[in-house]
Amino acid sequence: MNTPLNSFSTQKSDAACKPLTSRIFSSAARGQSPSQSNPLVLSIPCRRSEPFTFDAPLFLRAGTDSVLPTALLVRLQSAAREFGIPFLAKQVADDGSVSLGMGPQHMRIVPLEYDRPLASEEFRGARGAEMQLFGSPYSMDHSRSRTSSWTPALPIELQSFEALSKKVELIRVLLGGKGVVGAAIAPGMVYDDVRLVIDSNFDYVTLLSHVTHGFEDGQSLQLRDGTAVLQEAVRAKCDAGRPDFPLFVSVAATTGDEIVEWIARGATAVCLDHSITSQRPPSTANAPDSFSNFLGGYTAPVAANYQWIGAAMRKLVEQIDDRLVYLGYTTLGEFLAMVKAS
Amino acid sequence: MDSELHFDLNEITVTALAQQLANVVRQSLNPPENVTVAHPNGLDYVGAGLRGINKLTIQGTVGDYALSALCDCECTVNGSVRDYVGHSIASGAIIINGHAGNHVGALGVGGLIAVYGNAGDHIAYANHGTEILIRGSVGSHAAANMQSGTLLIGGTVGPNLGCGMRGGVIYVRGDVDQVSDDIEEHRLREPDKLKIGLLLIKAGIKATAGKDFRVYKPVDISGGS
């Protein structure tokens, strides 16, 4: 499973010679459904409805921990529609220019903190929900951590981990029965946590080894080496008999080549936050929104320009596409099948 | 739009019921006055995520997580409920003409839950502002980790009442098996009597003088006045 990427480079085919006409944004321009011609399409099976399909092995977590500026949220929603990239955000933009209707391109995922009450309005228009299984004070039992015994980080109102699957089903009902429910875990005892997630009927798991806050420079944190964490998670999936279980990772990937490398190591999708932040142009480093961190939440009247985010996403998708073609694969599915077989 | 709607859970699933009720509220300017749900058959998640319906009546016993994340609805269950009824309730009222299981009103942030029978363990667990009234007796760990809100118990209470409680108030009429170290008994004042009477009236119970109740509040660890 953990095959080095270099081993793929000898399998070049005719696909490497053909022009890259099947890009995501070109299919949208031709008026086609992105999944019809997009070689990067990914699909996560839902338990009750049609699969959750998105158009690249990428996702965004920028809106997980904070309420985003409206301009940024609008930009993310627009990018989600254009590139088919799901994003986590607590709120939806109330900007009239962005349609909030439920559709295949509506990809907001609601982050759920471990002890926060479930608010039904947050689920409106969301395509999924991601429960955070970390940060619980009951999981920080230092006497147990010394003996390396695993303590599941459960939501506060659950007394046993058997009850977790019932709460997962409740979230599915609140999503209208047609959404995915994922779990985010911190890089602690990853093996046991992934087994818990799989046994509790989640649809996917997100592994956080590197987190970035709101596309801001200097606001990222490396929690643990991503390679070791991913190895543990992949081993847990295989031991649970679910090697196909979707595994999202938030790692410090900067380029599309690195994203393909993480996929080759076993990730299903890679978080884009660090990649996009690394491409932030210097001219926007002092954008008006950054003043809100100081001056007691003062928000400048001039709207920040987030157009560079779309360009950064486009560049990353192009890099992934180029890398796959260079390696000799015409579709992501073909690449993933090869990774699985290896 | 009809002012009354009837659904039978022998004919539709719980998810379909939630979707149909959401469609009714979304498509009509005036939501239906009365909605009746028959034959819940102990199913889980009945009425989860419900909002914007004036009155909902469930004729029978329901399972876990019934009426979770409720918002702006007045619901009556003519039967018993299992665990986690009214989980994350935001507003509105839930009246249960029967017994309730564990974790009644866990993580609730507002509204009212009234149980006319007995209830199980962990009542009002991590309550964030819901008013919860149990006419009968409750089990252990009542009001554990409660942040705010009110818990009123008419009967007896099991061990470890109020462990980890950081806010809110508990009124108990019967005997308490054991009170945790995190709360202490306070003198019953006139505002407490008024609050008890008001809560009983809101729950549809004939109000009596609140003089028989005892008051428990969290220990003031700040040492303030």
Side-chain angles (χ1 to χ4, degrees):
Chain A
M1 185 61 69
N2 189 16
T3 308
L5 190 63
N6 290 337
S7 63
F8 303 136
S9 59
T10 57
Q11 302 183 11
K12 290 191 77 172
S13 69
D14 294 340
C17 305
K18 73 176 186 179
L20 302 177
T21 54
S22 54
R23 298 262 168 84
I24 290 165
F25 37 87
S26 62
S27 68
R30 290 195 300 271
Q32 298 175 356
S33 167
S35 59
Q36 286 176 352
S37 59
N38 175 18
L40 301 176
V41 71
L42 267 183
S43 177
I44 296 179
C46 299
R47 291 190 171 268
R48 283 193 175 182
S49 64
E50 71 276 6
F52 177 40
T53 304
F54 52 104
D55 293 342
L58 308 169
F59 67 100
L60 292 160
R61 295 183 56 83
T64 306
D65 302 319
S66 59
V67 176
L68 297 177
T70 305
L72 176 56
L73 196 58
V74 169
R75 185 62 223 162
L76 287 179
Q77 288 186 204
S78 172
R81 180 186 298 153
E82 186 180 358
F83 300 104
I85 295 173
F87 64 99
L88 275 85
K90 286 182 179 177
Q91 84 277 32
V92 288
D94 50 2
D95 190 294
S97 63
V98 179
S99 168
L100 298 180
M102 286 286 286
Q105 297 302 304
H106 196 81
M107 305 196 140
R108 185 175 69 94
I109 296 174
V110 188
L112 302 174
E113 292 166 18
Y114 72 100
D115 65 344
R116 197 162 55 93
L118 304 171
S120 57
E121 66 267 20
E122 282 187 349
F123 292 92
R124 195 173 41 183
R127 191 64 179 83
E130 186 178 285
M131 190 190 292
Q132 296 179 0
L133 292 182
F134 54 84
S136 164
Y138 303 97
S139 68
M140 290 189 286
D141 189 344
H142 298 295
S143 62
R144 290 190 176 195
S145 64
R146 274 200 298 273
T147 57
S148 299
S149 68
W150 172 65
T151 306
L154 295 172
I156 190 171
E157 78 277 20
L158 301 185
Q159 308 302 315
S160 66
F161 60 84
E162 290 89 352
L164 186 55
S165 59
K166 279 225 161 185
K167 186 165 184 184
V168 172
E169 196 61 30
L170 168 69
I171 295 168
R172 249 185 220 116
V173 171
L174 294 177
L175 285 165
K178 50 188 175 184
V180 287
V181 184
I185 59 172
M189 304 187 77
V190 174
Y191 181 87
D192 295 298
D193 284 340
V194 171
R195 293 293 297 265
L196 172 69
V197 167
I198 292 174
D199 293 342
S200 301
N201 292 332
F202 283 95
D203 294 314
Y204 72 91
V205 60
T206 302
L207 206 53
L208 305 176
S209 76
H210 186 280
V211 289
T212 307
H213 176 72
F215 303 130
E216 296 290 336
D217 285 334
Q219 295 194 11
S220 60
L221 180 65
Q222 176 79 35
L223 300 171
R224 197 178 147 194
D225 174 39
T227 310
V229 169
L230 190 59
Q231 276 180 352
E232 281 185 50
V234 170
R235 187 165 58 88
K237 283 199 309 175
C238 294
D239 288 354
R242 298 280 303 275
D244 295 335
F245 191 76
L247 174 64
F248 294 7
V249 294
S250 178
V251 290
T254 308
T255 63
D257 291 359
E258 289 179 13
I259 289 171
V260 174
E261 192 175 336
W262 281 106
I263 293 169
R265 286 176 174 164
T268 310
V270 181
C271 181
L272 268 187
D273 291 357
H274 181 70
S275 316
I276 289 179
T277 306
S278 65
Q279 295 185 40
R280 183 175 182 138
S283 58
T284 62
N286 292 324
D289 64 297
S290 62
F291 287 115
S292 60
N293 289 335
F294 312 103
L295 301 179
Y298 165 73
T299 305
V302 181
N305 181 10
Y306 293 104
Q307 295 299 320
W308 62 274
I309 290 179
M313 284 187 193
R314 181 180 298 256
K315 186 177 172 185
L316 284 164
V317 171
E318 278 184 335
Q319 285 175 349
I320 294 172
D321 203 2
D322 287 347
R323 184 66 177 167
L324 285 181
V325 171
Y326 174 75
L327 293 173
Y329 302 97
T330 52
T331 66
L332 181 69
E334 189 185 329
F335 176 67
L336 291 175
M338 213 295 299
V339 170
K340 199 186 304 174
S342 65
Chain B
M1 179 58 63
D2 293 336
S3 61
E4 292 198 7
L5 284 174
H6 297 274
F7 295 95
D8 192 337
L9 284 174
N10 280 339
E11 298 168 359
I12 59 172
T13 63
V14 172
T15 309
L17 170 70
Q19 287 173 346
Q20 290 185 22
L21 288 175
N23 288 338
V24 165
V25 173
R26 194 182 303 127
Q27 292 167 3
S28 61
L29 291 174
N30 299 316
E33 285 293 325
N34 292 302
V35 175
T36 306
V37 177
H39 301 110
N41 300 330
L43 290 169
D44 298 338
Y45 315 112
V46 176
L50 207 60
R51 56 185 299 135
I53 289 176
N54 290 335
K55 282 191 178 180
L56 175 83
T57 305
I58 299 173
Q59 301 286 4
T61 295
V62 291
D64 293 343
Y65 287 104
L67 304 167
S68 298
L70 192 78
C71 194
D72 295 338
C73 297
E74 185 183 324
C75 302
T76 304
V77 181
N78 290 322
S80 294
V81 295
R82 237 170 21 213
D83 300 345
Y84 292 103
V85 63
H87 181 286
S88 299
I89 177 175
S91 59
I94 299 173
I95 310 292
I96 298 160
N97 288 313
H99 302 298
N102 302 328
H103 292 92
V104 173
L107 285 174
V109 290
L112 169 76
I113 300 175
V115 180
Y116 286 179
N118 300 323
D121 300 336
H122 295 100
I123 306 305
Y125 195 90
N127 180 17
H128 283 58
T130 305
E131 292 177 323
I132 299 174
L133 185 149
I134 311 291
R135 199 174 186 182
S137 301
V138 302
S140 64
H141 295 87
N145 289 299
M146 192 159 133
Q147 312 289 321
S148 73
T150 307
L151 174 62
L152 189 147
I153 301 165
T156 59
V157 182
N160 221 0
L161 173 69
C163 64
M165 187 173 166
R166 278 172 276 178
V169 59
I170 306 171
Y171 300 114
V172 182
R173 193 174 191 186
D175 296 331
V176 179
D177 191 344
Q178 179 222 338
V179 177
S180 78
D181 296 336
D182 299 324
I183 61 172
E184 60 189 1
E185 187 169 351
H186 286 239
R187 190 166 64 88
L188 187 71
R189 298 167 186 261
E190 281 303 316
D192 293 317
K193 292 178 187 174
L194 284 172
K195 193 172 181 180
I196 291 168
L198 197 61
L199 197 55
L200 290 168
I201 290 171
K202 281 163 76 176
I205 297 171
K206 186 180 177 184
T208 58
K211 62 182 180 181
D212 299 333
F213 285 85
R214 276 168 292 150
V215 186
Y216 294 97
K217 291 181 182 175
V219 176
D220 188 4
I221 56 174
S222 65
S225 61

PDB file of all heavy atoms in Angstrom, chain A residues 164-192:
ATOM      1  N   LEU A 164     -22.179   5.621  19.769  1.00  0.00           N
ATOM      2  CA  LEU A 164     -21.740   6.566  18.741  1.00  0.00           C
ATOM      3  C   LEU A 164     -22.436   6.324  17.405  1.00  0.00           C
ATOM      4  O   LEU A 164     -22.794   7.261  16.694  1.00  0.00           O
ATOM      5  CB  LEU A 164     -20.223   6.469  18.584  1.00  0.00           C
ATOM      6  CG  LEU A 164     -19.553   7.470  17.663  1.00  0.00           C
ATOM      7  CD1 LEU A 164     -19.886   8.892  18.068  1.00  0.00           C
ATOM      8  CD2 LEU A 164     -18.051   7.274  17.658  1.00  0.00           C
ATOM      9  N   SER A 165     -22.653   5.077  17.066  1.00  0.00           N
ATOM     10  CA  SER A 165     -23.282   4.793  15.767  1.00  0.00           C
ATOM     11  C   SER A 165     -24.706   5.325  15.715  1.00  0.00           C
ATOM     12  O   SER A 165     -25.185   5.719  14.655  1.00  0.00           O
ATOM     13  CB  SER A 165     -23.260   3.297  15.478  1.00  0.00           C
ATOM     14  OG  SER A 165     -23.929   2.598  16.480  1.00  0.00           O
ATOM     15  N   LYS A 166     -25.363   5.351  16.865  1.00  0.00           N
ATOM     16  CA  LYS A 166     -26.730   5.902  16.880  1.00  0.00           C
ATOM     17  C   LYS A 166     -26.710   7.396  16.647  1.00  0.00           C
ATOM     18  O   LYS A 166     -27.596   7.945  15.986  1.00  0.00           O
ATOM     19  CB  LYS A 166     -27.396   5.589  18.222  1.00  0.00           C
ATOM     20  CG  LYS A 166     -27.964   4.207  18.315  1.00  0.00           C
ATOM     21  CD  LYS A 166     -29.339   4.216  18.923  1.00  0.00           C
ATOM     22  CE  LYS A 166     -30.079   2.938  18.608  1.00  0.00           C
ATOM     23  NZ  LYS A 166     -31.452   2.973  19.080  1.00  0.00           N
ATOM     24  N   LYS A 167     -25.715   8.078  17.194  1.00  0.00           N
ATOM     25  CA  LYS A 167     -25.636   9.515  16.960  1.00  0.00           C
ATOM     26  C   LYS A 167     -25.263   9.795  15.507  1.00  0.00           C
ATOM     27  O   LYS A 167     -25.729  10.772  14.920  1.00  0.00           O
ATOM     28  CB  LYS A 167     -24.615  10.155  17.907  1.00  0.00           C
ATOM     29  CG  LYS A 167     -24.621  11.662  17.777  1.00  0.00           C
ATOM     30  CD  LYS A 167     -23.929  12.383  18.888  1.00  0.00           C
ATOM     31  CE  LYS A 167     -24.079  13.888  18.697  1.00  0.00           C
ATOM     32  NZ  LYS A 167     -23.368  14.672  19.677  1.00  0.00           N
ATOM     33  N   VAL A 168     -24.447   8.957  14.930  1.00  0.00           N
ATOM     34  CA  VAL A 168     -24.114   9.112  13.508  1.00  0.00           C
ATOM     35  C   VAL A 168     -25.377   9.000  12.664  1.00  0.00           C
ATOM     36  O   VAL A 168     -25.602   9.769  11.723  1.00  0.00           O
ATOM     37  CB  VAL A 168     -23.070   8.053  13.097  1.00  0.00           C
ATOM     38  CG1 VAL A 168     -22.858   8.050  11.606  1.00  0.00           C
ATOM     39  CG2 VAL A 168     -21.766   8.305  13.803  1.00  0.00           C
ATOM     40  N   GLU A 169     -26.220   8.062  13.026  1.00  0.00           N
ATOM     41  CA  GLU A 169     -27.467   7.890  12.275  1.00  0.00           C
ATOM     42  C   GLU A 169     -28.391   9.098  12.469  1.00  0.00           C
ATOM     43  O   GLU A 169     -29.089   9.507  11.530  1.00  0.00           O
ATOM     44  CB  GLU A 169     -28.162   6.606  12.744  1.00  0.00           C
ATOM     45  CG  GLU A 169     -29.233   6.096  11.817  1.00  0.00           C
ATOM     46  CD  GLU A 169     -28.712   5.748  10.436  1.00  0.00           C
ATOM     47  OE1 GLU A 169     -27.543   5.361  10.312  1.00  0.00           O
ATOM     48  OE2 GLU A 169     -29.481   5.906   9.471  1.00  0.00           O
ATOM     49  N   LEU A 170     -28.364   9.680  13.675  1.00  0.00           N
ATOM     50  CA  LEU A 170     -29.160  10.890  13.910  1.00  0.00           C
ATOM     51  C   LEU A 170     -28.699  12.018  12.977  1.00  0.00           C
ATOM     52  O   LEU A 170     -29.516  12.738  12.393  1.00  0.00           O
ATOM     53  CB  LEU A 170     -29.025  11.325  15.373  1.00  0.00           C
ATOM     54  CG  LEU A 170     -29.569  12.718  15.701  1.00  0.00           C
ATOM     55  CD1 LEU A 170     -31.088  12.757  15.592  1.00  0.00           C
ATOM     56  CD2 LEU A 170     -29.141  13.169  17.089  1.00  0.00           C
ATOM     57  N   ILE A 171     -27.399  12.168  12.846  1.00  0.00           N
ATOM     58  CA  ILE A 171     -26.881  13.227  11.969  1.00  0.00           C
ATOM     59  C   ILE A 171     -27.304  12.964  10.526  1.00  0.00           C
ATOM     60  O   ILE A 171     -27.648  13.883   9.788  1.00  0.00           O
ATOM     61  CB  ILE A 171     -25.353  13.307  12.105  1.00  0.00           C
ATOM     62  CG1 ILE A 171     -24.998  13.754  13.518  1.00  0.00           C
ATOM     63  CG2 ILE A 171     -24.755  14.260  11.087  1.00  0.00           C
ATOM     64  CD1 ILE A 171     -23.551  13.598  13.864  1.00  0.00           C
ATOM     65  N   ARG A 172     -27.318  11.704  10.149  1.00  0.00           N
ATOM     66  CA  ARG A 172     -27.783  11.368   8.797  1.00  0.00           C
ATOM     67  C   ARG A 172     -29.242  11.775   8.609  1.00  0.00           C
ATOM     68  O   ARG A 172     -29.613  12.288   7.555  1.00  0.00           O
ATOM     69  CB  ARG A 172     -27.641   9.864   8.586  1.00  0.00           C
ATOM     70  CG  ARG A 172     -26.580   9.550   7.595  1.00  0.00           C
ATOM     71  CD  ARG A 172     -26.482   8.096   7.261  1.00  0.00           C
ATOM     72  NE  ARG A 172     -25.069   7.817   7.161  1.00  0.00           N
ATOM     73  CZ  ARG A 172     -24.408   7.020   7.949  1.00  0.00           C
ATOM     74  NH1 ARG A 172     -25.029   6.369   8.883  1.00  0.00           N
ATOM     75  NH2 ARG A 172     -23.128   6.850   7.800  1.00  0.00           N
ATOM     76  N   VAL A 173     -30.045  11.540   9.630  1.00  0.00           N
ATOM     77  CA  VAL A 173     -31.461  11.930   9.541  1.00  0.00           C
ATOM     78  C   VAL A 173     -31.573  13.451   9.438  1.00  0.00           C
ATOM     79  O   VAL A 173     -32.371  13.973   8.645  1.00  0.00           O
ATOM     80  CB  VAL A 173     -32.234  11.395  10.765  1.00  0.00           C
ATOM     81  CG1 VAL A 173     -33.643  11.962  10.819  1.00  0.00           C
ATOM     82  CG2 VAL A 173     -32.294   9.886  10.730  1.00  0.00           C
ATOM     83  N   LEU A 174     -30.775  14.183  10.220  1.00  0.00           N
ATOM     84  CA  LEU A 174     -30.820  15.646  10.170  1.00  0.00           C
ATOM     85  C   LEU A 174     -30.352  16.179   8.820  1.00  0.00           C
ATOM     86  O   LEU A 174     -30.731  17.273   8.412  1.00  0.00           O
ATOM     87  CB  LEU A 174     -29.970  16.243  11.292  1.00  0.00           C
ATOM     88  CG  LEU A 174     -30.467  15.979  12.711  1.00  0.00           C
ATOM     89  CD1 LEU A 174     -29.498  16.546  13.732  1.00  0.00           C
ATOM     90  CD2 LEU A 174     -31.848  16.578  12.925  1.00  0.00           C
ATOM     91  N   LEU A 175     -29.536  15.410   8.127  1.00  0.00           N
ATOM     92  CA  LEU A 175     -29.101  15.806   6.787  1.00  0.00           C
ATOM     93  C   LEU A 175     -30.138  15.434   5.728  1.00  0.00           C
ATOM     94  O   LEU A 175     -29.875  15.570   4.540  1.00  0.00           O
ATOM     95  CB  LEU A 175     -27.773  15.126   6.437  1.00  0.00           C
ATOM     96  CG  LEU A 175     -26.521  15.691   7.103  1.00  0.00           C
ATOM     97  CD1 LEU A 175     -25.363  14.722   6.965  1.00  0.00           C
ATOM     98  CD2 LEU A 175     -26.150  17.041   6.499  1.00  0.00           C
ATOM     99  N   GLY A 176     -31.269  14.963   6.156  1.00  0.00           N
ATOM    100  CA  GLY A 176     -32.311  14.585   5.212  1.00  0.00           C
ATOM    101  C   GLY A 176     -32.116  13.188   4.655  1.00  0.00           C
ATOM    102  O   GLY A 176     -32.729  12.827   3.657  1.00  0.00           O
ATOM    103  N   GLY A 177     -31.278  12.410   5.279  1.00  0.00           N
ATOM    104  CA  GLY A 177     -31.079  11.045   4.835  1.00  0.00           C
ATOM    105  C   GLY A 177     -30.253  10.905   3.579  1.00  0.00           C
ATOM    106  O   GLY A 177     -30.160   9.819   3.016  1.00  0.00           O
ATOM    107  N   LYS A 178     -29.655  11.987   3.119  1.00  0.00           N
ATOM    108  CA  LYS A 178     -28.910  11.901   1.855  1.00  0.00           C
ATOM    109  C   LYS A 178     -27.567  12.616   1.954  1.00  0.00           C
ATOM    110  O   LYS A 178     -27.154  13.304   1.028  1.00  0.00           O
ATOM    111  CB  LYS A 178     -29.730  12.463   0.716  1.00  0.00           C
ATOM    112  CG  LYS A 178     -30.313  13.832   0.994  1.00  0.00           C
ATOM    113  CD  LYS A 178     -31.273  14.240  -0.102  1.00  0.00           C
ATOM    114  CE  LYS A 178     -31.934  15.551   0.234  1.00  0.00           C
ATOM    115  NZ  LYS A 178     -32.930  15.949  -0.743  1.00  0.00           N
ATOM    116  N   GLY A 179     -26.905  12.471   3.050  1.00  0.00           N
ATOM    117  CA  GLY A 179     -25.604  13.107   3.194  1.00  0.00           C
ATOM    118  C   GLY A 179     -24.587  12.144   3.750  1.00  0.00           C
ATOM    119  O   GLY A 179     -24.931  11.078   4.266  1.00  0.00           O
ATOM    120  N   VAL A 180     -23.331  12.538   3.636  1.00  0.00           N
ATOM    121  CA  VAL A 180     -22.268  11.722   4.211  1.00  0.00           C
ATOM    122  C   VAL A 180     -21.947  12.249   5.606  1.00  0.00           C
ATOM    123  O   VAL A 180     -22.065  13.446   5.882  1.00  0.00           O
ATOM    124  CB  VAL A 180     -20.995  11.752   3.352  1.00  0.00           C
ATOM    125  CG1 VAL A 180     -21.169  10.946   2.096  1.00  0.00           C
ATOM    126  CG2 VAL A 180     -20.582  13.165   3.036  1.00  0.00           C
ATOM    127  N   VAL A 181     -21.562  11.354   6.467  1.00  0.00           N
ATOM    128  CA  VAL A 181     -21.157  11.726   7.820  1.00  0.00           C
ATOM    129  C   VAL A 181     -19.739  11.224   8.030  1.00  0.00           C
ATOM    130  O   VAL A 181     -19.476  10.025   7.941  1.00  0.00           O
ATOM    131  CB  VAL A 181     -22.099  11.124   8.884  1.00  0.00           C
ATOM    132  CG1 VAL A 181     -21.710  11.613  10.268  1.00  0.00           C
ATOM    133  CG2 VAL A 181     -23.537  11.478   8.594  1.00  0.00           C
ATOM    134  N   GLY A 182     -18.838  12.152   8.275  1.00  0.00           N
ATOM    135  CA  GLY A 182     -17.447  11.790   8.472  1.00  0.00           C
ATOM    136  C   GLY A 182     -17.008  12.060   9.891  1.00  0.00           C
ATOM    137  O   GLY A 182     -17.752  12.609  10.711  1.00  0.00           O
ATOM    138  N   ALA A 183     -15.782  11.668  10.178  1.00  0.00           N
ATOM    139  CA  ALA A 183     -15.204  11.917  11.501  1.00  0.00           C
ATOM    140  C   ALA A 183     -13.805  12.464  11.313  1.00  0.00           C
ATOM    141  O   ALA A 183     -13.056  11.996  10.453  1.00  0.00           O
ATOM    142  CB  ALA A 183     -15.152  10.628  12.305  1.00  0.00           C
ATOM    143  N   ALA A 184     -13.471  13.488  12.076  1.00  0.00           N
ATOM    144  CA  ALA A 184     -12.113  14.038  12.055  1.00  0.00           C
ATOM    145  C   ALA A 184     -11.393  13.572  13.309  1.00  0.00           C
ATOM    146  O   ALA A 184     -11.936  13.688  14.414  1.00  0.00           O
ATOM    147  CB  ALA A 184     -12.160  15.566  12.004  1.00  0.00           C
ATOM    148  N   ILE A 185     -10.202  13.032  13.140  1.00  0.00           N
ATOM    149  CA  ILE A 185      -9.438  12.563  14.300  1.00  0.00           C
ATOM    150  C   ILE A 185      -8.066  13.218  14.307  1.00  0.00           C
ATOM    151  O   ILE A 185      -7.497  13.517  13.272  1.00  0.00           O
ATOM    152  CB  ILE A 185      -9.297  11.022  14.314  1.00  0.00           C
ATOM    153  CG1 ILE A 185      -8.590  10.521  13.057  1.00  0.00           C
ATOM    154  CG2 ILE A 185     -10.637  10.356  14.454  1.00  0.00           C
ATOM    155  CD1 ILE A 185      -8.258   9.053  13.108  1.00  0.00           C
ATOM    156  N   ALA A 186      -7.598  13.457  15.507  1.00  0.00           N
ATOM    157  CA  ALA A 186      -6.271  14.045  15.688  1.00  0.00           C
ATOM    158  C   ALA A 186      -5.236  12.915  15.702  1.00  0.00           C
ATOM    159  O   ALA A 186      -5.574  11.759  15.971  1.00  0.00           O
ATOM    160  CB  ALA A 186      -6.227  14.822  16.997  1.00  0.00           C
ATOM    161  N   PRO A 187      -3.988  13.229  15.401  1.00  0.00           N
ATOM    162  CA  PRO A 187      -2.984  12.166  15.306  1.00  0.00           C
ATOM    163  C   PRO A 187      -2.496  11.701  16.665  1.00  0.00           C
ATOM    164  O   PRO A 187      -1.368  11.943  17.054  1.00  0.00           O
ATOM    165  CB  PRO A 187      -1.861  12.825  14.495  1.00  0.00           C
ATOM    166  CG  PRO A 187      -1.982  14.263  14.793  1.00  0.00           C
ATOM    167  CD  PRO A 187      -3.434  14.531  15.000  1.00  0.00           C
ATOM    168  N   GLY A 188      -3.366  11.032  17.395  1.00  0.00           N
ATOM    169  CA  GLY A 188      -2.975  10.427  18.661  1.00  0.00           C
ATOM    170  C   GLY A 188      -2.773   8.934  18.445  1.00  0.00           C
ATOM    171  O   GLY A 188      -1.835   8.507  17.803  1.00  0.00           O
ATOM    172  N   MET A 189      -3.711   8.169  18.949  1.00  0.00           N
ATOM    173  CA  MET A 189      -3.675   6.728  18.719  1.00  0.00           C
ATOM    174  C   MET A 189      -4.542   6.440  17.495  1.00  0.00           C
ATOM    175  O   MET A 189      -5.713   6.058  17.598  1.00  0.00           O
ATOM    176  CB  MET A 189      -4.138   5.994  19.965  1.00  0.00           C
ATOM    177  CG  MET A 189      -3.305   6.398  21.186  1.00  0.00           C
ATOM    178  SD  MET A 189      -3.657   5.453  22.651  1.00  0.00           S
ATOM    179  CE  MET A 189      -2.803   3.939  22.291  1.00  0.00           C
ATOM    180  N   VAL A 190      -3.953   6.646  16.355  1.00  0.00           N
ATOM    181  CA  VAL A 190      -4.699   6.671  15.098  1.00  0.00           C
ATOM    182  C   VAL A 190      -5.316   5.312  14.783  1.00  0.00           C
ATOM    183  O   VAL A 190      -6.461   5.229  14.329  1.00  0.00           O
ATOM    184  CB  VAL A 190      -3.775   7.133  13.953  1.00  0.00           C
ATOM    185  CG1 VAL A 190      -4.474   7.035  12.622  1.00  0.00           C
ATOM    186  CG2 VAL A 190      -3.322   8.551  14.207  1.00  0.00           C
ATOM    187  N   TYR A 191      -4.583   4.264  15.045  1.00  0.00           N
ATOM    188  CA  TYR A 191      -5.076   2.935  14.686  1.00  0.00           C
ATOM    189  C   TYR A 191      -6.422   2.668  15.366  1.00  0.00           C
ATOM    190  O   TYR A 191      -7.394   2.305  14.711  1.00  0.00           O
ATOM    191  CB  TYR A 191      -4.046   1.877  15.092  1.00  0.00           C
ATOM    192  CG  TYR A 191      -4.459   0.473  14.747  1.00  0.00           C
ATOM    193  CD1 TYR A 191      -4.177  -0.060  13.503  1.00  0.00           C
ATOM    194  CD2 TYR A 191      -5.148  -0.307  15.667  1.00  0.00           C
ATOM    195  CE1 TYR A 191      -4.572  -1.352  13.182  1.00  0.00           C
ATOM    196  CE2 TYR A 191      -5.547  -1.588  15.351  1.00  0.00           C
ATOM    197  CZ  TYR A 191      -5.250  -2.105  14.112  1.00  0.00           C
ATOM    198  OH  TYR A 191      -5.659  -3.373  13.795  1.00  0.00           O
ATOM    199  N   ASP A 192      -6.483   2.879  16.666  1.00  0.00           N
ATOM    200  CA  ASP A 192      -7.722   2.594  17.390  1.00  0.00           C
ATOM    201  C   ASP A 192      -8.830   3.558  17.000  1.00  0.00           C
ATOM    202  O   ASP A 192      -9.999   3.184  16.924  1.00  0.00           O
ATOM    203  CB  ASP A 192      -7.460   2.661  18.896  1.00  0.00           C
ATOM    204  CG  ASP A 192      -6.499   1.584  19.345  1.00  0.00           C
ATOM    205  OD1 ASP A 192      -6.819   0.405  19.196  1.00  0.00           O
ATOM    206  OD2 ASP A 192      -5.415   1.940  19.822  1.00  0.00           O
TER     207      ASP A 192
END
